[in-house]
Amino acid sequence: MVALALSVVGASALIAGCSSADDTSAPAGAAGGSITVFAAASLKSVFTEIGEQFKTDNPGTSVEFSFAGSSDLVTQLTQGADADVFASADTRNMDKAVAADLVEGAPVTFATNTLTIAVAPGNPKDIKSFADLAKPGTSVVVCAPPVPCGGATEKVEKASGVTLSPVSEETSVTDVLGKVTSGQADAGLVYVTDAAGAGDKVTSVPFAEAAQAVNTYPIAVLKESQHAELARRFVDLVTGEAGQKALAKAGFAKP
């Protein structure tokens, strides 16, 4: 009987040991689950970095991003697209999401951004001011008016009294930048963060009137989120110390 009892105890210990050794796929405290973040195109680089930090902070989770012009994103959301978090490059498009009753609680402002002129490396057209963009023979690309960077461009035009005649109006700021880096345009109005992120592919030309059109970035958890707690954690990360540090490094200014 003693031998049998010892045998049972030994077997139980062996089974427990095997179970412990095999159970490496679910670390203690793992949150689990996946969230989808709809974010303005200008946030692509920094949010991708913040997303990696989020996965480190919340083992077992994943983050999927959809980057596009804020106006396109809010249109998708009002048409029923599934997402957990929305980060806009302006308050106007976030207000549309709030008006459509898509947002849980009040949006939180987490950054600001300002326009600059992106030109080919070395500035071959010698563009020195916003007014230079209206000179004959200068091909300029801007964002479409519904897009935050397009709305900012309109504000600058009104503040400066200079009316542009762009060769195209794009649906996102990254598309504007792409037209310049590919040589399809002499200049484009983009955010300072996009110009900085492009490195030596463009030269940035600051202009004073940009101060009249600073864009404010809000972020919010969406009501239809299936992982509201994780969504709130992501918002907290963006607005917290780590997120703010990453945003500042990318060239975004404080709210």
Side-chain angles (χ1 to χ4, degrees):
M1 291 297 291
V2 172
L4 178 60
L6 290 174
S7 175
V8 170
V9 171
S12 298
L14 179 61
I15 292 172
C18 290
S19 297
S20 177
D22 292 340
D23 191 16
T24 58
S25 61
S34 175
I35 59 171
T36 299
V37 177
F38 274 28
S42 53
L43 294 166
K44 184 173 182 178
S45 179
V46 67
F47 263 33
T48 300
E49 178 184 341
I50 290 174
E52 291 303 312
Q53 182 62 51
F54 180 79
K55 289 188 287 185
T56 298
D57 293 345
N58 299 275
T61 64
S62 62
V63 186
E64 299 294 332
F65 290 103
S66 179
F67 296 106
S70 299
S71 57
D72 285 347
L73 293 174
V74 77
T75 296
Q76 293 175 39
L77 289 172
T78 56
Q79 291 177 348
D82 290 330
D84 301 280
V85 175
F86 176 43
S88 174
D90 66 353
T91 55
R92 178 177 59 174
N93 283 290
M94 180 60 77
D95 288 344
K96 292 179 182 178
V98 172
D101 199 28
L102 299 175
V103 172
E104 184 67 47
V108 181
T109 299
F110 66 93
T112 59
N113 214 346
T114 310
L115 292 178
T116 190
I117 302 168
V119 298
N123 195 5
K125 285 284 187 175
D126 195 29
I127 295 171
K128 297 179 179 178
S129 67
F130 185 77
D132 285 347
L133 297 178
K135 287 182 177 180
T138 303
S139 58
V140 181
V141 180
V142 301
C143 290
V147 184
C149 55
T153 298
E154 289 186 322
K155 290 179 182 178
V156 172
E157 287 181 296
K158 291 178 181 178
S160 64
V162 175
T163 301
L164 303 181
S165 299
V167 294
S168 71
E169 295 181 341
E170 304 298 322
T171 59
S172 74
V173 69
T174 49
D175 289 339
V176 173
L177 186 65
K179 292 283 187 179
V180 177
T181 57
S182 65
Q184 297 179 64
D186 297 322
L189 283 166
V190 302
Y191 295 119
V192 294
T193 53
D194 294 287
D200 59 7
K201 293 181 180 179
V202 299
T203 292
S204 178
V205 181
F207 58 99
E209 296 90 342
Q212 304 297 316
V214 177
N215 274 22
T216 298
Y217 285 58
I219 188 170
V221 174
L222 297 171
K223 279 189 175 180
E224 296 301 316
S225 172
Q226 299 300 306
H227 301 278
E229 176 58 30
L230 279 181
R232 282 189 286 271
R233 290 186 196 179
F234 184 84
V235 171
D236 289 344
L237 176 59
V238 171
T239 58
E241 182 178 354
Q244 291 297 296
K245 183 177 180 180
L247 286 158
K249 182 180 177 182
F252 289 89
K254 291 284 187 180

